[in-house]
Each structure stands twice: as C-alpha cells, then as structure tokens.
C-alpha cells in the first residue's frame, strides 16, 4: 500500500518553549509518519506529515489529547490532501521559520524548576549536581531571556554561551528531555555564579568552610544565616534575601529600600514550613505549588513565628523556591523562611543590571551570575478570595501568556494603564498580551523603564499599533507617553475613563462581547480614578450594555480636601466628611488629632476653612472612606503605602461582629457614607474597635450590593461583578457575593486579570476595541 495522504497542521497557542516539537516527533515516529515539524516566526508550530490515513488520524488524536503539560492550544488547523509525491526520508525537526508580519505570537512564561531537574540537582552522580542553572524543556527562564521570535537559542541571552559536547548531544536528541531546550547549560558551558562584597570585590570562602571560592552559594548561604543582606541575581532580576526571623536585619533592609511598612514577601523551604506560620487551604496550596510559583497572600496562623516586621497585616505573602539556586540555598541553611523581596527602592522597577545592584549601599554582599536579563520581571502575586484565585500582580509565571477575548480585531491596540501599578497591553486579533508589572510612575527611572518596555514589546511581538489607549486623566505620565507614541506611529489616541477600564476586564473574564446583547452590572471600587466630571471617582456602579457604560449609582460625594494629600493623611478625609455633621464634638475631636498632620493646628485651621468655603475636590472613592474609618478607629495616622489604611482596617475587622447593624441609607442611587462615619464616631467608646471595623465593612458591602441589585432587577440583568482594588478585600467581596447570590443572580470577580490598576491596560485595550466596533 502506498503513502497517499498529506496533512498540514498549524497550531497556535503556547506551543514554543514547552517541549512541543519533541512531543510531535515522538508521536509521528510512533505512527510511522514522515515529514517535519518547525517553529514559525509568528509563535505557531507547523507540522507536515505523510502516511496512511489511519496512522495520520491516530497522530491527530494524540496531538489533540496527549499534549505536553505546559502546552496550551488556541486553535488547530488541519489541511488534508493527497500526497504530493515528495519523498521525506524520515520525520525530522527542522530549522525555525523567520518572524513574519502576521502577528500571532505566543511567548512562553518563566517556569519553576521541575521535579526531574530537582532530582538531578541533588543527585551526586548527575553531571549537573549542584548546578544553579539546571533547566530542561519543562522548566526554567523563557520570557526574561527572549529577545525576539521565534523562540530559539539564537534569539535569547543564552546565545552567548556555546554548548559543550555533552549539552550539544542532548540538545540534538529528539528523545532527550533537553532537546531544543534553549536554556540548556551545565557547569562546563553555562552561566557562572560569583559572590562580591558591596564594593564589587570577589569574596573567597574561608579555608575552614571546605568549600573554596568555587562554591559561592555556600558562602552566601552562611552569610544569610548570620544576618546579612544578600542581593541575589535570579531569573527576572535581583532579590534582597535575608532571614525572616531577624528584626534587626529586616529593619535595616526596610530602611535601605525606603519601605517603611509595606509587607515583605517570604520564601518558605516547603509547604510544611509554610504551615509553621500561615494557614492555607487546598486552592492556595495548589497555587503555591503551580509552575508559576507566585507569591500567595495567606492568613497568618495563630503560631505565626516570623518577625513582626515582615507584615503588619493579617496576611503574609509566601512563595516556594522556584529555581535551583533557591533550593541550593535552603539546603545549606537551617532557616525555614527567608525574606525574598525585589532589589529596588520602593515602587521603582526591579533591578536587573549588575552595576545598578552594586549601587545599593545597604546591601552587604551580592551573588551574581553572568547571564543577561533581557526582560526584567517581578514575582507574581495571587490572593484567594471567596474560594477563587485573583491575580494581584501578573508577572513571572504568567507573563506574557496571552489572554483570549471573545472578539476579533483587525487593528492593533496598545494600552498604557494609569499611574500606579502600570502595565502595558497589546490587543490584536482575538487576544491581549499584557506586560509584566512595571510599578508606579513616580520617578524618571520608572518612566524610562516604561518607555523601553514599550519598545521591547513592540519589537518582540512584531507589532505596530493602530490605536493607542490611555487613562482619561490629562496630567499623568502615561497619558503624555501615549500621545508621544501616537505621533511616532501616526495613529490615534483613545482616552478611557479609569473605571470603565476596570469594568471592561470583567467583560473579558465573563466572555461577554459587544453587539451580542450582553449586559452586566459592574461594581467598581478603588482609591481613585479621574471621572468625566473632573472629580475623583472610586465607588461606582455601572450598567454595561454592549459599548454603553452608564453610571447608575455611586457612593456619596465627599470633600477630598487637599487632593492627594487626603490620601496620605486620612484625618483630612475625616474632617471633610464630618465637618458639616450635626453630631456633637466633631470639631473638638478634629483639633485633638491635629498633631498627626505635618503642620498641626494651623493645618487643621486651613482644612476647615476650605471645607466651609466649599473649595475642594469631591470624591466617591471607597478607598478614601475606608481610610477615614481607619483613622477614626485609631488604626493609622498616615498612609505608608498605597491602600495601607484600608488593608489594616480589613485586618482588624476579621473576627468582628456587626454590632452597629446599620441598614444602608440610599437616596437617588447614592449610598450615604457620611451616615456611616457619624455612627462610628458616636459609638467609638461603646463597642470594640474590631466590631466597628466589621460593621463598616458590612454597611459598605450591603449598600453596594443593594445599589447593584436594584439596577440589575430593573433591567433584567442576571450577573453582577466587582472590580477595582477594593475587590481584593475578602470581607467586602464575600459579603457582596452572598447578597447577590441570595437574590438568585450570578456573581463574578476578576481572576486571570488583576482587579486593581495592574489590569487597567487590559481593560483599556478591550474598551477601545468595543467602542471602535460599536
């Protein structure tokens, strides 16, 4: 019987850098097929196979159902035809095609070390025993070392390391786990580690250690255990590593990072070590163990034994080791937990360059390798809320995996986010590719990093934007950059209202699409966003119907005296909300607390004068109301980091009771928040602070749910969602979910897209697409 069939298969998705071509090779050989497989420049894989029809169908079945664990298909196109008569001598993996102008890339994210590599790492008979950069096709860096597509070694920072004979043999063997593993390396041919002091001088291990200067990991591990701060170059940048139990060294680290109170991440030896200081359920444990290995925000346990300086909240951010280097360090120390935080000054981009890390004056030693990091990338952060995971920061392990949308765009849309927790996103065809976390745009360094990321992303994805989307706010750096990029590419700018972008992320999560009659009521609550009326929004309810976003309800407008100063000094919000109250003793209280302001009584005089004259910005921000309550209850006087007063209030509220039992006061689709603060003010000496904190959460959650349910019932909408930074509040989100589901409606929140400002660029891109196709 002659060969008379040819199948040409094109597969899009996460199919490069995940062991896909060796998998295709094996199943082709198993089914007696001839032909080839190759990576394409657009991120897809092309397969041409010839053989008997039965064998070809078995091959397609295996292709669909037995794919490698890290592969993900978006679509499989199979073209069947008669054999052309072209004779393939065998089945082979051939050279990748060049990048094409058809933009449909799928760049793999960085992956945690796999069990097989971990076994080899500690196997004394393996040639990679103890090698810090051990990887295979199933694990290791991808995104952080890639320069361009296709994903081949020549297009990565590993191109600088020529393979030794043993590695080359593995690289060329289709049956080997390291076949075409672009990060393949070993002691002889791969990246090297060295330890230096803060002046850049090489450190040689003391003779009594028995390790010599060829094992800088052992020396660095000993120094960590002795209470030093070590800057360690990892996959996506430098980490600052020290003991998680030592108050003195953590205090010194905080001072150096200028991170007064914001929680620090912890890396635990294993899940048993995590249980020594935190509580986790099955969902949280599965996320901790996943190939993404993000930081997971876990509740502290009753036997919490880490330094109190690690976190001032009821949660602690925990991750497990995800590189060979992490595992080697833990194997050489007795500590079960380490502080592992990005090496940077607070809110600036993670440091990836050696010379910049050497300028960190507070670091004692640096453990550096000689592989360049092309795409710096922080650790991802995840929280489990109402039994469902929510990504807080989408970075290592997730970026740049595309987010599919139930739509198709003929134009490429580049979006910039807002001011805090900035990312950029590119929407094209039926997907959105979002960048890693880029931080807050409060410094020239952050802005420069944003500009370079835009350039790298456009080059790497081979895109040219047709439209640029940015926030509605006229005077933030990303708006300015959007117009600059638009001029450079000769394209238009679309400015997207902050909370419309948040709401749009829920449409993506729920698979809704413009023009299909889909409707949703979206609750969007956060700290601030520039509104169409020029005021600060942040406690909104929208009815979304196709491309129409109608603001149907919101929290009561409150004075935000001093603008952004009110976010840093919550007493300003208390004064603005209560100055006109009929409750006795308000003014005396305000003056009794004026020492928390930089200029004391004179500043309070000015605040109340502005309040009486009505010369202030108004805000509906949920975050600012929570800040004011946090101040009233004596939790915080001044904000140390974004969202701190509200998060401390949530921490205190856990275990409290709703002693106030307030029913929401709603008038003209507006929730009265002054009433809430008046009740708390009047009852501060009557109830426990914890109970008042919980009562505040209950009132806000019931009120927002009532506003959303009223509009949903009126318009026949069956789904209500919540987005914005407040959605991470476990108490508020859980309560709203309960109220919505009690009324028979479906409730959703963000999951794969960050609910906070880190997801804004994704929402902006989708909103722009919706409105350009309406």
């Amino acid at each position: 019987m002659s060969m008379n069939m040819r199948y040409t298969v094109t597969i899009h998705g996460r199919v490069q850098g995940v062991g896909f071509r060796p998998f295709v090779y094996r199943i082709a050989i198993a089914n007696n097929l001839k032909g080839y497989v190759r990576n394409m420049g657009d991120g897809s894989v092309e397969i041409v196979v010839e053989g008997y029809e039965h064998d070809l169908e078995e091959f397609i079945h295996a292709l669909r159902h037995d794919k490698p664990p890290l592969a993900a298909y978006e679509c499989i196109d199979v073209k069947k035809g008669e054999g052309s008569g072209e004779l393939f001598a065998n089945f082979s993996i051939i050279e990748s095609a060049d990048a094409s102008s058809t933009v449909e890339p799928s760049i793999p994210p960085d992956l945690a070390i796999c069990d097989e590599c971990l076994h080899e790492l500690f196997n004394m008979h393996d040639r990679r025993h103890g090698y810090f950069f051990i990887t295979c096709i199933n694990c290791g860096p991808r995104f952080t070392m890639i320069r361009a597509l296709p994903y081949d070694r020549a297009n990565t920072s590993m191109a600088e390391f020529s393979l030794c004979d043993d590695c080359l043999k593995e690289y060329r063997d289709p049956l080997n786990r390291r076949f075409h593993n672009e990060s393949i390396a070993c002691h002889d041919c791969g990246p090297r580690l060295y330890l230096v002091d803060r002046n850049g001088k090489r450190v040689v291990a003391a003779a009594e250690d028995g390790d010599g200067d060829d094992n800088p990991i052992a020396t660095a591990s000993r120094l960590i255990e002795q209470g030093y701060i070590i800057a360690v170059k990892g996959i996506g940048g430098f980490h600052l590593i020290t003991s998680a139990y030592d108050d003195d060294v953590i205090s010194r680290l905080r001072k150096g990072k200028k991170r007064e109170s914001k929680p620090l991440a912890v890396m635990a030896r294993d899940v048993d070590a995590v249980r020594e200081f935190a509580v986790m359920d099955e969902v949280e444990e599965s996320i901790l163990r996943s190939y993404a290995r993000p930081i997971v925000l876990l509740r502290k346990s009753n036997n919490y034994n880490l330094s109190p300086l690690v976190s001032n909240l009821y949660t602690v951010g925990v991750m497990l080791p995800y590189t060979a280097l992490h595992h080697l360090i833990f194997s050489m120390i007795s500590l079960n937990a380490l502080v592992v935080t990005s090496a940077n000054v607070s809110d600036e981009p993670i440091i990836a360059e050696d010379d910049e890390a050497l300028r960190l004056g507070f670091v004692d030693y640096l453990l550096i390798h000689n592989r360049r990091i092309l795409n710096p990338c922080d650790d991802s952060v995840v929280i489990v809320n109402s039994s469902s995971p929510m990504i807080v920061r989408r970075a290592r392990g997730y970026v740049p995996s595309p987010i599919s949308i139930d739509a198709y765009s003929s134009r490429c849309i580049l979006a910039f986010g807002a001011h805090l927790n900035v990312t950029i996103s590119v929407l094209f065809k039926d997907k959105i590719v979002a960048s890693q976390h880029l931080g807050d745009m409060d410094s020239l360094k952050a802005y420069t990093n944003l500009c370079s990321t835009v350039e790298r992303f456009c080059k790497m994805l081979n895109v040219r934007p047709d439209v640029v989307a940015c926030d509605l706010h006229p005077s933030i750096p990303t708006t300015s950059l959007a117009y600059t990029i638009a001029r450079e590419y000769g394209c238009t700018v679309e400015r997207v209202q902050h909370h419309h972008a948040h709401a749009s992320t829920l449409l993506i999560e729920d698979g809704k699409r413009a023009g299909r009659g889909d409707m949703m009521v979206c609750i969007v609550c956060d700290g601030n966003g520039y509104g169409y009326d020029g005021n600060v929004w942040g406690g909104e309810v929208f009815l979304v119907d196709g491309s129409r976003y109608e603001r149907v309800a919101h929290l009561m407008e409150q004075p935000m005296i001093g603008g952004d100063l009110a976010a840093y000094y919550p007493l300003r919000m208390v004064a603005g909300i209560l100055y006109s109250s009929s409750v006795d003793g308000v003014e005396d209280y305000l003056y009794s607390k004026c020492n928390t302001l930089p200029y004391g009584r004179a500043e309070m005089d000015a605040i109340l004068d502005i309040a009486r004259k009505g010369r202030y910005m108004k805000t509906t921000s949920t975050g600012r109301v929570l800040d004011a309550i946090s101040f009233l209850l004596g939790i915080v006087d001044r904000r140390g980091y974004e969202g701190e007063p509200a998060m401390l209030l949530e921490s205190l509220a856990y275990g409290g009771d709703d002693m106030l039992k307030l029913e929401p006061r709603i008038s003209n689709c507006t929730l009265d928040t002054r009433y809430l603060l008046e009740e708390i003010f009047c009852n501060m000496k009557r109830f426990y602070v914890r109970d008042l904190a919980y009562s505040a959460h209950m009132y806000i959650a019931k009120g927002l749910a009532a506003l959303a349910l009223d509009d949903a019932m009126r318009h026949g909408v069956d789904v209500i969602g919540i987005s914005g930074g407040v959605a991470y509040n476990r108490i508020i989100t859980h309560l709203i979910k309960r109220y919505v589901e009690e009324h028979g409606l479906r409730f959703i929140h963000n999951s794969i897209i960050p609910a906070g400002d880190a997801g804004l660029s994704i929402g902006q891109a989708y909103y722009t697409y919706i409105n350009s196709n309406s």
Side-chain angles (χ1 to χ4, degrees):
M1 188 181 297
S2 61
M3 291 187 186
N4 59 357
M5 293 293 292
R6 169 183 284 201
Y7 285 11
T8 300
V9 185
T10 303
I11 303 180
H12 294 273
R14 190 167 64 231
V15 288
Q16 291 190 17
V18 292
F20 191 71
R21 288 175 300 167
F23 158 71
V24 172
Y25 178 90
R26 289 193 295 271
I27 62 174
I29 296 299
N31 286 284
N32 305 305
L33 302 178
K34 298 180 179 181
Y36 67 82
V37 59
R38 64 174 173 173
N39 282 345
M40 303 300 288
D42 62 1
S44 66
V45 165
E46 178 187 68
I47 307 165
V48 175
V49 281
E50 287 192 352
Y52 299 124
E53 185 174 10
H54 172 76
D55 294 332
L56 289 165
E57 289 300 320
E58 288 292 318
F59 170 82
I60 295 297
H61 183 272
L63 194 66
R64 292 183 185 277
H65 300 287
D66 300 328
K67 65 180 183 293
L70 298 176
Y73 298 160
E74 291 176 9
C75 68
I76 301 177
D77 179 57
V78 181
K79 290 184 172 61
K80 301 179 181 181
E82 295 292 327
S84 64
E86 179 180 348
L87 296 177
F88 292 110
N90 51 31
F91 190 88
S92 59
I93 298 173
I94 67 172
E95 186 176 344
S96 301
D98 291 335
S100 71
S101 60
T102 304
V103 184
E104 209 162 327
S106 182
I107 302 167
D110 302 308
L111 307 170
I113 186 172
C114 68
D115 290 341
E116 290 172 293
C117 283
L118 194 57
H119 174 76
E120 292 170 347
L121 180 68
F122 292 106
N123 180 357
M124 295 189 65
H125 303 292
D126 193 277
R127 72 185 191 92
R128 291 187 176 84
H129 170 251
Y131 183 51
F132 83 100
F133 199 69
I134 185 172
T135 69
C136 74
I137 201 66
N138 297 317
C139 66
R142 267 47 169 189
F143 168 66
T144 52
M145 70 177 195
I146 192 169
R147 183 180 295 106
L149 287 174
Y151 176 60
D152 290 330
R153 192 177 181 93
N155 289 330
T156 73
S157 58
M158 290 301 291
E160 302 166 15
F161 301 92
S162 299
L163 295 178
C164 66
D165 290 342
D166 288 335
C167 284
L168 188 60
K169 182 179 178 181
E170 293 173 329
Y171 185 83
R172 290 174 172 172
D173 182 2
L175 300 179
N176 191 284
R177 199 173 89 254
R178 292 186 172 89
F179 174 72
H180 278 240
N181 169 35
E182 311 306 351
S183 59
I184 186 174
C186 71
H187 291 284
D188 295 330
C189 65
R192 302 285 182 91
L193 269 176
Y194 52 97
L195 183 69
V196 301
D197 63 20
R198 67 178 62 178
N199 298 312
K201 182 180 178 181
R202 289 283 291 268
V203 175
V204 179
E208 61 267 22
D209 292 333
D211 293 309
D213 64 348
D214 60 343
N215 193 352
I217 302 173
T219 306
S221 300
R222 188 192 73 237
L223 291 168
I224 290 170
E225 196 149 32
Q226 289 176 351
Y228 291 95
I229 299 172
I230 314 293
V232 178
K233 190 176 183 181
I235 286 179
F238 279 85
H239 279 123
L240 302 178
I241 299 183
T242 195
S243 168
Y245 305 90
D246 188 329
D247 293 354
D248 291 337
V249 71
I250 295 174
S251 178
R252 186 160 60 88
L253 185 150
R254 283 193 174 280
K255 184 178 179 181
K257 272 181 66 76
K258 298 179 182 178
R259 191 167 180 164
E260 180 182 347
S261 56
K262 190 174 183 179
L264 300 167
V266 168
M267 181 176 285
R269 179 185 298 274
D270 49 35
V271 292
D272 289 333
V274 175
R275 293 189 181 97
E276 293 179 5
F277 57 84
V279 177
M280 59 184 166
D281 59 24
E282 291 182 2
V283 176
E284 291 164 331
E285 183 175 341
S286 69
I287 297 169
L288 273 174
R289 293 178 181 272
S290 71
Y291 70 83
R293 293 284 165 88
I295 297 168
V296 181
L297 301 181
L298 301 175
R299 292 174 296 274
K300 292 177 179 176
S301 63
N302 291 332
N303 57 338
Y304 179 82
N305 61 354
L306 305 183
S307 166
L309 297 181
V310 168
S311 172
N312 62 352
L313 304 177
Y314 76 105
T315 57
V316 57
V318 186
M319 58 182 156
L320 295 177
Y322 58 84
T323 69
L325 181 55
H326 296 149
H327 285 280
L328 289 169
I329 289 173
F330 272 111
S331 73
M332 298 174 183
I333 62 176
S334 60
L335 300 172
N336 278 340
L338 299 171
V339 167
V340 179
T341 184
S342 56
N344 57 357
V345 175
S346 191
D347 297 324
E348 288 195 349
I350 188 171
I351 291 173
E353 298 293 336
D354 300 354
D355 58 348
E356 189 177 358
L358 282 165
R359 291 197 292 271
L360 289 170
F362 62 93
V363 168
D364 299 310
Y365 297 92
L366 299 91
L367 188 60
I368 299 174
H369 61 70
N370 60 339
R371 179 185 70 82
R372 286 189 299 149
I373 297 170
L374 299 181
N375 298 296
C377 194
D378 268 296
D379 297 308
S380 295
V381 181
V382 176
I383 186 172
V384 175
N385 197 339
S386 296
S387 302
S388 299
M390 299 177 71
I391 294 180
V392 179
R393 184 167 72 200
R394 193 173 182 270
R396 178 189 51 77
Y398 298 104
V399 168
S401 295
I403 296 169
S404 297
I405 57 175
D406 190 8
Y408 187 92
S409 176
S410 59
R411 299 194 298 169
C412 176
I413 301 168
L414 172 64
F416 280 90
H419 184 74
L420 302 178
N421 299 310
V422 169
T423 63
I424 63 168
S425 290
V426 179
L427 183 153
F428 54 93
K429 295 193 175 181
D430 60 350
K431 60 177 69 66
I432 301 173
V433 178
S435 77
Q436 68 275 35
H437 169 78
L438 301 175
D440 300 344
M441 294 299 109
D442 288 325
S443 67
L444 177 60
K445 181 181 176 182
Y447 183 78
T448 302
N449 182 55
L450 171 63
C451 295
S452 62
T453 301
V454 171
E455 183 179 353
R456 284 199 308 270
F457 242 64
C458 288
K459 180 180 179 181
M460 185 168 54
L461 299 178
N462 193 24
V463 300
R464 182 181 180 87
D466 300 303
V467 185
V468 176
C470 63
D471 195 78
L472 186 65
H473 199 296
S475 57
I476 55 176
T478 50
T479 301
S480 173
L481 180 58
Y483 279 94
T484 300
I485 296 294
R487 285 193 296 269
E488 179 181 336
Y489 286 98
C491 57
T492 59
V493 175
E494 295 293 333
R495 292 168 64 181
V496 182
Q497 200 281 321
H498 191 94
H499 302 98
H500 288 184
H502 278 307
S504 296
T505 65
L506 290 173
L507 302 187
I508 299 171
E509 296 266 10
D510 203 41
K512 295 194 177 295
R513 185 175 63 193
R516 200 172 59 184
D518 290 334
M519 297 176 70
M520 181 188 293
V521 172
C522 299
I523 302 169
V524 184
C525 296
D526 60 5
N528 69 82
Y530 191 79
Y532 284 119
D533 57 4
N535 285 317
V536 178
W537 293 4
E540 316 303 316
V541 180
F542 296 101
L543 173 66
V544 181
D545 182 3
S547 61
R548 185 173 66 91
Y549 289 59
E550 181 184 356
R551 187 191 190 203
V552 294
H554 53 78
L555 301 191
M556 175 184 283
E557 289 184 337
Q558 301 292 1
M560 192 172 174
I561 300 172
D564 287 344
L565 280 175
Y568 288 96
Y569 298 97
L571 180 56
R572 286 176 167 266
M573 285 304 306
V574 176
I577 295 171
L578 293 181
Y579 82 95
S580 61
S581 172
S582 59
V583 174
D584 292 335
V586 169
E587 189 164 321
D588 290 342
Y589 169 81
L590 294 175
Y591 277 106
S592 73
K593 299 294 182 180
C594 67
N595 62 319
T596 64
L597 298 170
Y599 300 99
R601 188 176 185 87
E603 187 169 345
M604 181 54 69
D605 288 339
I607 290 170
L608 293 179
D609 183 58
I610 291 170
R612 295 184 188 104
K613 293 177 179 177
R615 298 197 305 244
Y616 47 73
M617 182 180 294
K618 297 176 182 177
T619 182
T620 56
S621 167
T622 310
R624 298 294 79 84
V625 171
L626 293 171
D627 290 352
I629 295 167
S630 187
F631 185 95
L632 273 180
L633 297 182
I635 299 169
V636 66
D637 294 337
R638 177 179 59 85
R639 190 188 84 181
Y641 57 88
E642 176 69 21
E644 181 184 27
M647 286 190 276
L648 288 171
L649 181 68
E650 178 190 357
S651 294
L652 181 64
Y654 259 91
D657 293 316
D658 181 19
M659 300 305 293
L660 293 182
K661 297 184 176 11
L662 304 177
E663 287 303 314
R665 280 192 179 179
I666 296 174
S667 176
N668 298 320
C669 301
T670 300
L671 178 64
D672 188 343
T673 48
R674 179 182 292 117
Y675 167 61
L676 171 61
L677 262 77
E678 288 174 340
E679 289 297 313
I680 291 172
F681 181 82
C682 293
N683 287 281
M684 287 192 296
K685 296 180 180 179
R686 184 182 173 196
F687 297 117
Y688 290 117
V689 170
R690 183 178 302 277
D691 294 334
L692 291 173
Y694 186 81
S695 296
H697 282 77
M698 179 70 79
Y699 180 87
I700 290 171
K702 287 172 71 175
L704 288 168
L707 292 171
L709 284 164
D710 179 69
D711 203 69
M713 298 297 187
R714 191 163 58 247
H715 291 91
V717 178
D718 64 355
V719 59
I720 293 174
I722 185 171
S723 188
V726 175
Y728 294 126
N729 185 303
R730 285 169 160 148
I731 300 174
I732 289 177
T733 295
H734 173 74
L735 289 171
I736 294 176
K737 179 177 187 288
R738 190 179 80 191
Y739 297 137
V740 168
E741 292 179 347
E742 283 175 354
H743 285 77
L745 276 65
R746 193 161 55 87
F747 177 80
I748 68 165
H749 59 62
N750 292 94
S751 179
I752 62 172
I753 302 171
D757 284 5
L760 273 178
S761 66
I762 299 171
Q764 289 171 345
Y766 191 62
Y767 180 91
T768 300
Y769 162 76
I770 289 174
N771 280 267
S772 65
N773 287 272
S774 58

